[in-house]
Amino acid sequence: MKQRHYRDVAVIPTRIKEFHDLSMSIYTAAESLQEHEKRQEEFVESFIQLIAQAIDDKSPYTAGHCNRVPEIALMFADEVEKSQQGQFAEFRFNNDAERREFRIAAWLHDCGKITTPEHIVDKGTKLEANYNRIHEIRMRFEVLWRDAELNYLQHIIDNPHEQEIALATLKQAQKQLQDDYKFVANANVGGEFMSDEHIARIHEIANKTWLRHFDDHLGLSPLEELSVSAKSETLPVEEHLLVDKPEHCIKRINELSFDPAFGIKMQVPELQYNLGEIYNLTIKRGTLTAEDRFKINEHMISTIKMLESLPFPDDLARVPRYASTHHETMKGTGYPRKLSAKDLSTPERILVISDIFEALTAADRPYKKAKPLSVAIDILHKMALDEHIDMDLFKLFLSSGVYMQYAEKFLPSKQIDEVDIDKYLSN
């Protein structure tokens, strides 16, 4: 018995070494797996940021938006977590994984814009398509200017004694052309509101005519040839100064339909685009037609399709939802699903405010000037009163100082003016 015991004791060092080697192998494997998972996470986040950067790089006028929204969203989320106010007193991300999920959603919130045509995203004037068509219209005014001069010269040839009267008529005609063109050019720039009186004047100017002496069916692409009338015409042809032509109406090539599972509730315009000159010049607000606006809003549908098709792991399962709700409102008038307050979580409401505030203060948009900080805050307040955004979150946005923290980091000093937050917090 003693001999057997001795032999058992003798193998202990060997067994200890084997156990140690096994433990080290398991530890090394675990460490390797952990390192592999870390590299995977870094790859995923780098790839996501690459997509966001590509979207920003696609248009020089929206450069930085996809980078700045996550910055302000995370600043704001941190402050909401610290808050002990009302409904937000209990709000917390349960762990770093949930915080990462929100951050990734913020990075991907506009990934669908990769499908939006640049000439729509960058539409800085009403007549802009792939270029600003005001130049075509200006040349028509030039034609009428020359016609007025020719009429004057012909008149004094036929009636030499009426030179003074003819000159006065010429000057009056040219002054009217200058006034009319200036009005059309100003209308093209767009603004907050275009009155019915101004719209009526556009129609009045449009009724003026000029003579076209050249065939407008020559030099067209095959696609353009499909959209213009094939009938022959006798030149010269009298045309209106401003016109909505059939070929300005661009039809949809493919019918647009949505998967019912996505819950999309957006009214689809009949046309893909409408390039009509009168139609565009009489846009009441901004520079976008209903068709343009839908095309821009359609980026949310693309975002949903793209993100819902990806096999996100469980810890990123809410990324598609978070990323696709930043254009919803508290009263159910947003898009693409017409969600309301009861449907929107706190992280989603944070992204709504973050996206709007970045857009209001951005200095890189072709269709608007950057708003001073005080004006941006005032607009946000009006949106809160209108139940477009969460009023309690708006007040926390101010009282926490997030708006100023972001402004000092991203806005030029000349844009940062004084904001009287007390008048908003006291309401």
Side-chain angles (χ1 to χ4, degrees):
M1 292 292 292
K2 288 181 180 180
Q3 189 175 1
R4 181 179 178 185
H5 176 71
Y6 174 79
R7 287 199 302 269
D8 290 344
V9 170
V11 301
I12 287 177
T14 303
R15 295 289 182 261
I16 290 174
K17 184 178 185 307
E18 290 175 351
F19 178 75
H20 175 266
D21 291 345
L22 178 61
S23 298
M24 288 302 296
S25 297
I26 293 172
Y27 176 79
T28 302
E31 194 175 49
S32 177
L33 180 61
Q34 190 176 33
E35 183 64 28
H36 176 70
E37 289 177 348
K38 182 182 177 183
R39 286 199 302 270
Q40 277 195 319
E41 285 186 5
E42 289 174 349
F43 171 78
V44 169
E45 296 223 15
S46 296
F47 186 73
I48 287 167
Q49 291 181 25
L50 181 148
I51 293 173
Q53 189 62 53
I55 295 165
D56 279 347
D57 289 347
K58 180 183 176 185
S59 167
Y61 300 115
T62 58
H65 175 74
C66 290
N67 287 275
R68 292 190 292 261
V69 168
E71 290 271 0
I72 189 172
L74 290 168
M75 286 181 196
F76 195 10
D78 286 345
E79 293 300 329
V80 177
E81 283 192 288
K82 295 175 189 175
S83 173
Q84 297 301 310
Q85 299 178 21
Q87 60 177 308
F88 308 117
E90 302 300 320
F91 171 72
R92 298 288 184 281
F93 288 119
N94 293 320
N95 47 51
D96 287 341
E98 287 192 2
R99 193 170 286 103
R100 175 172 177 260
E101 181 182 48
F102 176 72
R103 183 176 70 251
I104 287 175
W107 273 103
L108 290 173
H109 81 284
D110 265 352
C111 68
K113 280 187 178 176
I114 204 164
T115 66
T116 309
E118 279 183 63
H119 74 274
I120 298 295
V121 175
D122 300 346
K123 190 180 181 189
T125 66
K126 295 179 180 180
L127 289 171
E128 193 167 333
N130 287 314
Y131 68 97
N132 189 351
R133 293 175 295 146
I134 191 67
H135 305 299
E136 291 183 17
I137 290 171
R138 187 180 66 251
M139 288 309 299
R140 295 175 205 160
F141 276 91
E142 293 280 5
V143 169
L144 291 180
W145 182 280
R146 302 298 187 277
D147 285 350
E149 288 180 333
L150 291 173
N151 290 338
Y152 159 73
L153 293 171
Q154 187 62 55
H155 187 86
I156 61 175
I157 289 172
D158 296 339
N159 306 278
H161 58 287
E162 294 183 6
Q163 185 170 349
E164 189 173 331
I165 297 174
L167 183 60
T169 301
L170 170 64
K171 295 301 181 184
Q172 177 59 36
Q174 290 181 329
K175 182 181 183 306
Q176 188 63 54
L177 286 171
Q178 289 281 11
D179 290 345
D180 287 347
Y181 176 71
K182 187 178 292 186
F183 184 83
V184 170
N186 287 335
N188 184 42
V189 173
E192 295 301 321
F193 180 74
M194 188 176 193
S195 68
D196 291 339
E197 180 184 352
H198 285 179
I199 289 173
R201 187 173 174 191
I202 289 292
H203 283 278
E204 181 183 340
I205 294 170
N207 283 329
K208 295 186 177 183
T209 58
W210 64 289
L211 282 179
R212 175 170 57 82
H213 290 78
F214 293 86
D215 190 342
D216 64 356
H217 287 57
L218 299 178
L220 303 183
S221 70
L223 186 61
E224 286 176 306
E225 288 177 345
L226 292 175
S227 63
V228 299
S229 171
K231 68 179 181 179
S232 60
E233 56 187 7
T234 303
L235 296 172
V237 174
E238 188 177 69
E239 291 201 349
H240 286 101
L241 192 55
L242 306 172
V243 65
D244 291 343
K245 293 184 177 181
E247 53 263 38
H248 286 147
C249 297
I250 312 300
K251 297 180 180 179
R252 295 186 179 280
I253 298 174
N254 300 313
E255 184 180 349
L256 192 60
S257 60
F258 311 127
D259 185 336
F262 295 154
I264 294 167
K265 299 174 182 176
M266 292 174 66
Q267 186 174 354
V268 182
E270 179 184 353
L271 297 174
Q272 179 88 358
Y273 303 114
N274 187 333
L275 303 179
E277 294 167 353
I278 301 170
Y279 180 73
N280 277 265
L281 284 168
T282 55
I283 295 168
K284 285 203 167 187
R285 282 184 172 84
T287 62
L288 301 176
T289 64
E291 291 78 13
D292 296 333
R293 195 166 296 282
F294 177 81
K295 193 63 183 174
I296 287 180
N297 293 352
E298 196 178 4
H299 81 273
M300 289 311 310
I301 299 170
S302 297
T303 295
I304 292 170
K305 288 179 178 177
M306 291 166 65
L307 298 184
E308 291 289 355
S309 68
L310 294 175
F312 283 104
D314 290 344
D315 60 338
L316 297 177
R318 286 175 292 192
V319 166
R321 170 72 184 202
Y322 285 169
S324 64
T325 51
H326 60 281
H327 288 298
E328 302 290 353
T329 69
M330 302 294 285
K331 61 180 181 180
T333 57
Y335 65 91
R337 300 186 180 100
K338 295 191 180 299
L339 303 177
S340 57
K342 62 181 176 59
D343 306 307
L344 297 172
S345 65
T346 297
E348 290 171 301
R349 298 180 190 196
I350 289 172
L351 268 179
V352 170
I353 293 178
S354 301
D355 184 68
I356 295 170
F357 184 68
E358 193 287 329
L360 288 173
T361 55
D364 48 16
R365 302 296 195 273
Y367 42 81
K368 70 172 188 66
K369 295 178 180 178
K371 299 281 192 294
L373 189 57
S374 62
V375 174
I377 294 299
D378 198 59
I379 291 172
L380 274 181
H381 180 241
K382 289 181 173 64
M383 295 177 83
L385 291 173
D386 191 41
E387 297 183 81
H388 191 111
I389 62 175
D390 186 309
M391 176 63 85
D392 292 333
L393 265 182
F394 165 71
K395 290 182 177 181
L396 183 56
F397 185 68
L398 298 183
S399 63
S400 65
V402 172
Y403 76 97
M404 185 58 72
Q405 184 184 350
Y406 173 84
E408 289 174 347
K409 185 173 181 179
F410 290 102
L411 303 186
S413 57
K414 64 181 181 181
Q415 198 177 334
I416 304 175
D417 57 353
E418 186 176 349
V419 180
D420 180 10
I421 67 172
D422 290 337
K423 70 178 182 180
Y424 304 116
L425 298 177
S426 61
N427 290 344

